[in-house]
Amino acid sequence: MTDLDLTAVRAFVTAADERQFGHAAALLGISQQAVSKRIAKLEAQLGAALFDRVPAGIVPTAAGLRLLPHARSLLAVAEGAVAAVREAPRQLRVAILGERQGAIEQMRFYLDRHPESDAEIVISGMSVTSRDMLVHGRADAAFARPHGGPRPLPAEIAAVPAYLDIAHLLVGRNHPLAKRSAVTMAELGGMSVWIPGAGVPSEWADYYRELSEFCGVTIDTTRRSDRGGEARRDPTEGMTAMLDRIAASDSLATISGDNFRDPWHPHIRRLPIVDPTPAYPHALLWSTANPHPGLSHLIAYFRDTYDRDLARDFWVPAPDRELFLP
């Protein structure tokens, strides 16, 4: 009988998801050499190679693909076993992509009205997203778009709609549209909007690609420096500087969500987009293999509070319509 090392199994699953040992190491908080050693140990135990090297990184072999669903189940069972013998379950960890997302207020509303719920909000970023944290077991649930992205979600990840974030156009006071009360989707199709974060392979980048395919809008992902120097390494940095540039320009524009908390600026004008109104779909995601006792109540709450009829006239990408629209 072969006793598998769970740390090696976790390294294997993370590497299979990330397709690079370096990315897996960053998620696990260990060195790349340690990841390689753990996987080599697992391969020696099983007597089979689990990865092939390709120009872009690594891909699971046929043996690796056969192992993957069992490896995920092993990790879920191990976490469930630990939780089962504790006197009290640990806090429910809910991942949200950044502190400015509307999901923060959604969770605060939920927790204020359900004080018995012991949940912890975990803030993720653009390099390790809320979806990544869920897939790798660092969160029990996550707010994110359930479709798109550089890697499909595992089959055990389920979703209920949480909310639709209505899109607005942000322009400076000298922009030709600044005095308008709204802009139509057809007019948006003739414009270029500056969204540097959409340059990162992600589910939100795919959303803007799909929006561009629908109406013709050009998505400018250029990373501009606020001082004309090198582009910022992290597209989430410098939001205030980004709005400063838009406010001072008669041509720059960007798109933001109604529930997204932008830095305030006196010279920024916020215009609704209509006919139809685009909206970004935020779902609550979780793993069906996760036994945490706090999950079912959270899922039921968002399933019951989502107003599907309100979304009737919104545009969302085709993959999201079945989940979010009537």
Side-chain angles (χ1 to χ4, degrees), residues 216-298:
V217 64
T218 298
I219 307 299
D220 176 7
T221 61
T222 305
R223 299 185 187 182
R224 298 170 173 89
S225 166
D226 56 333
R227 294 186 178 85
E230 293 184 0
R232 294 178 180 271
R233 294 168 62 187
D234 185 348
T236 64
E237 293 179 1
M239 290 186 63
T240 298
M242 178 178 172
L243 290 186
D244 282 342
R245 290 188 65 126
I246 292 172
S249 171
D250 61 2
S251 60
L252 284 177
T254 193
I255 292 175
S256 185
D258 192 40
N259 290 290
F260 188 82
R261 188 163 48 84
D262 292 302
W264 184 81
H265 196 294
H267 303 320
I268 288 290
R269 306 292 182 258
R270 193 178 185 94
L271 309 177
I273 303 170
V274 297
D275 298 330
T277 295
Y280 188 92
H282 292 268
L284 179 72
L285 310 177
W286 75 95
S287 170
T288 55
N290 189 331
H292 196 289
L295 260 177
S296 59
H297 189 273
L298 184 69

Side-chain angles (χ1 to χ4, degrees), residues 84-152:
V85 298
R86 288 177 173 168
E87 292 183 4
R90 57 164 176 75
Q91 283 185 306
L92 184 74
R93 298 172 300 208
V94 182
I96 297 174
L97 183 68
E99 296 178 344
R100 298 183 179 275
Q101 294 287 350
I104 292 283
E105 297 305 319
Q106 299 265 349
M107 277 301 299
R108 286 174 179 163
F109 186 93
Y110 169 78
L111 293 172
D112 285 346
R113 284 152 182 79
H114 301 91
E116 75 284 358
S117 298
D118 188 16
E120 172 189 13
I121 296 174
V122 182
I123 302 299
S124 64
M126 297 180 82
S127 57
V128 180
T129 68
S130 56
R131 295 200 335 179
D132 293 333
M133 296 187 78
L134 173 64
V135 169
H136 298 299
R138 295 166 62 182
D140 302 295
F143 286 92
R145 184 187 175 199
H147 296 101
R151 293 176 297 277

